[in-house]
Amino acid sequence: PKGSNIMNLKQKILDYAAKNDIELVGFGSKERWDGVDAQHNPFAIFPEGKTVVLVGKRICRGSLRGVEEGTNFGDYGTYGISWLEDSFLATACYDLTRVIENEGWEACPIFNNPTEIEPQGVAVAEGRPAPNVYPDFRYAAIACGLAEISYNDMVFTKKYGSRQRFQMIITDAEIEPDPILTESICDMCGKCADVCPLNAISKTEYETLTVCGKEMKIAKINYAACKSCPNGARGNRLSAAARPDRIAALCNRTCMCHLEENELIENVFENKFRTRKTWAKDGSGRNVEVKD
């Protein structure tokens, strides 16, 4: 149908997501991107778009088990990163794109590329940004009402903490936006900084990030150190210039334990994730003791 009832579209998207195990869906209106530079603004890709639909699937806690034990690092890279992004999440994003287009509204699916990737071409016309425009997904997670940025500079949702990945749909359907998350998930405990053997996370120096009126304190982090971290961090698979993937790193696994044990997130488990003293290595690869 041509532009079918837009009032029912949001519910159709949510119903499809629930039925097909698409665990996170958030909606953000175009106005929430006012002031975002064109090189990182989704509406530079689709100027007639009205809404961003953010689509997420969880990173299963068990995919981090081998890293926590120090006995298997590769399967997190498969189930937690590459297969999750390239297959499971891409299929979910594609399916929701079809749901929207079946209702007569255009839907533009966008993969989560690092914003640090420089444009690979020249602008096709005056006033347009150079290709490729890569939207800021951290910003989008906040602007779609799903997340905040933690003190450890991670995207936290109320459901899973840091354990999810996102893709995006831009549509010309004007869908009611979700409210910005007002409650705080990160309680600023500082354990991420305490546990880091590289001292890469400051407990005293931070910046305040404001997105759509939501203020978040983010630690000053030495990302050069994080890129060589032997404690579970890994380089970004799409760009060496991008920030490393720290979801499996010691700092974030410690955050995860804290969030679960204090029930600051919804997805909690029968047994604790960490039941014995964790392993850690310093920048030279030596085994070191860390604070509990």
Side-chain angles (χ1 to χ4, degrees):
K2 183 178 180 180
S4 66
N5 189 346
I6 199 168
M7 299 299 292
N8 295 329
L9 181 57
K10 183 174 186 177
Q11 193 58 51
K12 285 185 177 181
I13 293 169
L14 292 173
D15 289 347
Y16 184 90
K19 184 178 179 180
N20 291 277
D21 296 321
I22 300 171
E23 293 143 323
L24 294 164
V25 182
F27 301 83
S29 57
K30 186 175 186 177
E31 292 74 21
R32 292 181 178 176
W33 275 262
D34 288 348
V36 175
D37 67 285
Q39 204 64 55
H40 301 115
N41 192 320
F43 297 101
I45 299 172
F46 188 2
E48 288 73 38
K50 301 294 184 183
T51 305
V52 164
V53 183
L54 204 62
V55 183
K57 286 187 78 69
R58 80 175 81 178
I59 298 170
C60 294
R61 190 175 82 160
S63 69
L64 299 168
R65 172 55 56 195
V67 182
E68 174 69 11
E69 303 305 325
T71 54
N72 180 300
F73 293 81
D75 285 301
Y76 164 69
T78 302
Y79 288 98
I81 304 178
S82 59
W83 284 2
L84 180 54
E85 288 188 323
D86 297 344
S87 180
F88 313 141
L89 181 53
T91 298
C93 186
Y94 174 70
D95 286 345
L96 280 183
T97 297
R98 291 168 52 236
V99 169
I100 296 169
E101 294 209 341
N102 284 344
E103 297 299 314
W105 302 97
E106 186 174 338
C108 176
I110 303 293
F111 189 85
N112 189 351
N113 281 293
T115 56
E116 294 90 347
I117 298 178
E118 295 294 326
Q120 292 91 49
V122 296
V124 298
E126 186 177 351
R128 295 189 189 182
N132 286 313
V133 168
Y134 292 134
D136 185 340
F137 274 73
R138 288 157 52 85
Y139 184 102
I142 302 163
C144 289
L146 286 173
E148 68 176 11
I149 307 299
S150 71
Y151 188 76
N152 193 22
D153 202 11
M154 307 292 288
V155 175
F156 275 10
T157 67
K158 186 62 179 175
K159 277 192 175 182
Y160 303 114
S162 62
R163 291 190 295 106
Q164 64 272 307
R165 297 193 185 276
F166 292 110
Q167 290 180 22
M168 174 188 297
I169 300 168
I170 315 163
T171 178
D172 54 358
E174 193 166 358
I175 302 172
E176 179 186 6
D178 289 334
I180 301 299
L181 186 67
T182 56
E183 63 184 299
S184 181
I185 304 166
C186 173
D187 64 356
M188 307 286 291
C189 70
K191 290 184 178 181
C192 55
D194 291 337
V195 79
C196 176
L198 309 182
N199 296 313
I201 304 169
S202 174
K203 290 195 73 171
T204 58
E205 295 183 76
Y206 61 87
E207 65 174 358
T208 300
L209 174 67
T210 303
V211 175
C212 299
K214 183 177 178 65
E215 292 187 356
M216 296 150 285
K217 290 183 178 180
I218 302 173
K220 180 179 179 181
I221 296 178
N222 181 355
Y223 276 104
C226 294
K227 285 186 176 183
S228 59
C229 173
N231 298 290
R234 57 172 64 208
N236 188 286
R237 69 189 181 107
L238 301 174
S239 172
R243 291 178 177 181
D245 185 308
R246 296 165 55 235
I247 290 175
L250 175 59
C251 61
N252 188 62
R253 284 184 281 116
T254 300
C255 284
M256 185 181 80
C257 294
H258 178 76
L259 292 174
E260 290 184 12
E261 290 167 13
N262 290 276
E263 296 187 355
L264 296 170
I265 58 173
E266 296 170 4
N267 186 223
V268 295
F269 294 79
E270 184 71 21
N271 295 309
K272 289 184 177 182
F273 183 73
R274 182 172 293 162
T275 58
R276 51 190 159 271
K277 197 168 185 65
T278 187
W279 64 275
K281 292 181 178 291
D282 64 16
S284 300
R286 295 186 293 261
N287 295 332
V288 293
E289 294 286 321
V290 296
K291 297 180 181 179
D292 291 328

